[in-house]
Amino acid sequence: MHIPDGFIDIPTSLAFAGVAAAGVAISLKGAKSSLDEKTAPLAGLTATFIFAVQMLNFPVAAGTSGHLLGGALAAILVGPWAATLALTVVLLMQGLLFADGGLSAIGLNVFNMSLIGVWCGYGSFLLIKKVLPKKKSSIAVAAFFAGLLSVPAAAAGFVLQYAIGGTATFSVATVLAAMVSTHVLIGIGEGLISALAVGAVMASRSDLVYGYKGVKQVLEVRSQG
Amino acid sequence: MKKQNRFWIAGFSLSIFLAVVVSFYASSSPDGLEKVAEDIGFIETAKESANADGVLADYGVKGVENPRLSTGAAGAIGVVATAGVSTILFLSLRRKNGERK
């Protein structure tokens, strides 16, 4: 999913870098009100864990691999603002230290993974949580579907960038079909890892899980009414 | 030890284990985007990253011949660097005790 230099032209890369920078700036503000003494260390740990798991490519189909993006996972654990920042730190480390993802493509990659991945993942998590029974185990189930959906959504972000500034001339429809179908498969892996990780934190420290606090608040309001 | 510290140490140790030991067994097939680019034919438009010759490029430590050691060391460096940068960032952003939302 990490876009190398050259796929997308420089003007488009710069434009997306601008959007990505704006998203990160807003998230810096948002994270300030959502992080406290207890959750700030968890946000750092989430970025660390995602970096590690992103190294673990798993095979999906003939000659293709995928790895966790972690946007949905991070948003559920620490909230979408801190998650956007966590993913951005991971992408910067990968681009700057490990030459994973082009330097001119950092804005493109932040847009797809830190913005689309996180916010699509978080949005689907909230929607899915609504239709599931209001109990603890539903959080991990919602994490599965949120993870699953976030990957083809991020892949569609690349197709948007390709449509605007792709340096090759293959049809956008062809790229869209191939990107989405491949990334639905990778999304299944994403969903499984997200559900496992969220399930593990729910089992040990559910008090830290951002996406679970909402559930408790709803219950509190009802008990008072 | 405080519950909070225990949880953090467990998560950090797991990350180190995954990045240092398990990463060696990761699939080396092209990822989704690379595969699509190969199949459709625009992989040739990729340029080498400006820091492709960096000491840690492609998750290996330059000069370390043993692949298991090279990947493992790169993983350890990445985990420690990510933990350091992100923890400093998030601790500096957090509300202090008693501060209102």
Side-chain angles (χ1 to χ4, degrees), chain A:
Chain A
M1 179 70 75
H2 293 57
I3 304 170
D5 291 321
F7 276 8
I8 309 294
D9 66 25
I10 296 295
T12 310
S13 302
L14 284 177
F16 276 95
V19 178
V24 169
I26 297 169
S27 301
L28 280 168
K29 274 198 150 172
K32 265 187 192 170
S33 57
S34 65
L35 291 172
D36 59 26
E37 300 281 344
K38 266 170 67 184
T39 52
L42 177 68
L45 188 57
T46 301
T48 308
F49 179 74
I50 288 172
F51 173 85
V53 181
Q54 284 207 359
M55 284 183 77
L56 310 179
N57 284 60
F58 48 83
V60 278
T64 313
S65 74
H67 62 69
L68 178 83
L69 298 188
L73 168 63
I76 296 165
L77 290 180
V78 299
W81 305 114
T84 302
L85 301 177
L87 266 285
T88 304
V89 169
V90 170
L91 288 168
L92 287 174
M93 289 294 158
Q94 292 168 330
L96 295 175
L97 293 180
F98 300 99
D100 187 11
L103 294 181
S104 74
I106 277 187
L108 303 166
N109 285 320
V110 168
F111 180 84
N112 293 341
M113 290 182 259
S114 307
L115 299 182
I116 299 188
V118 165
W119 289 92
C120 252
Y122 190 62
S124 4
F125 170 76
L126 291 181
L127 289 176
I128 294 158
K129 194 172 79 169
K130 248 184 197 159
V131 299
L132 291 175
K134 296 253 173 299
K135 51 182 194 186
K136 222 174 157 179
S137 57
S138 295
I139 301 296
V141 177
F144 171 80
F145 290 104
L148 170 60
L149 291 169
S150 69
V151 181
F158 168 75
V159 181
L160 172 72
Q161 293 157 350
Y162 177 85
I164 298 173
T167 50
T169 49
F170 300 97
S171 96
V172 173
T174 311
V175 177
L176 178 66
M179 278 301 280
V180 171
S181 59
T182 305
H183 285 90
V184 166
L185 293 177
I186 298 173
I188 297 172
E190 175 93 18
L192 290 173
I193 298 171
S194 306
L196 261 175
V198 169
V201 182
M202 285 296 291
S204 48
R205 290 298 306 272
S206 64
D207 58 309
L208 293 177
V209 178
Y210 185 95
Y212 182 54
K213 285 174 192 155
V215 173
K216 279 187 290 189
Q217 275 160 11
V218 169
L219 293 177
E220 276 164 24
V221 171
R222 282 187 183 170
S223 69
Q224 284 164 359

Side-chain angles (χ1 to χ4, degrees), chain B residues 1 4 16 20 24-25 27 30 33 46 60-62 69 84 88 93 98:
Chain B
M1 197 187 295
Q4 179 86 14
I16 285 280
V20 174
F24 180 73
Y25 302 96
S27 165
L33 173 61
V61 180
K62 211 172 201 175
L69 219 60
I88 290 169
L93 285 176

